[in-house]
Amino acid sequence: MNIYGAVVDNSTRCIHYHSEKDIIAIKFTCCERYYPCYKCHEEQADHSIQRWPQEQFDEYAILCGNCHTEMTIRQYMSTTNCPQCHAIFNERCAMHYPIYFEQSANED
């Protein structure tokens, strides 16, 4: 699985987000490429970010950097750790959901 961007280790940490818990990569719907974060996408892609529409939240678009298991957006948004290896994800990533994922009217 290719991870694009300023990746600094095999757990998908990047130069922007590299704490112990920063171990996910997101497949961007606009280019079907995995990046560790939106900043990496902005720096390397030649197009703007498109958010995943809610009707596609069952698509596999999140990669655990610890065990490399793919999960759906819905699975990722409903947990704080990997369902396969139980590695803990950075809970502060939820602050960036509006960048990656379409929000319902009461969440915007």
Side-chain angles (χ1 to χ4, degrees), residues 30-73:
C30 44
C31 54
E32 296 289 312
R33 288 183 165 192
Y34 274 102
Y35 287 90
C37 75
Y38 72 95
K39 293 178 182 181
C40 285
H41 183 278
E42 287 176 342
E43 291 172 359
Q44 295 199 353
D46 61 357
H47 56 272
S48 299
I49 294 171
Q50 293 178 6
R51 295 186 298 171
W52 280 96
Q54 289 183 359
E55 59 270 11
Q56 293 182 347
F57 281 10
D58 289 324
E59 296 286 327
Y60 286 94
I62 308 297
L63 181 73
C64 173
N66 190 56
C67 69
H68 302 281
T69 295
E70 283 186 293
M71 65 196 89
T72 69
I73 296 165

Side-chain angles (χ1 to χ4, degrees), residues 89-100:
F89 299 144
N90 189 336
E91 63 279 356
R92 295 186 62 187
C93 290
M95 296 185 318
H96 298 146
Y97 285 0
I99 296 170
Y100 305 115

Side-chain angles (χ1 to χ4, degrees), residues 2 16-17 20 23-25 55 59 63 73 87 95 103-104:
N2 289 331
H16 309 106
Y17 298 100
E20 183 178 315
I23 57 167
I24 63 113
E55 59 270 11
E59 296 286 327
L63 181 73
I73 296 165
M95 296 185 318
Q103 305 292 290
S104 62

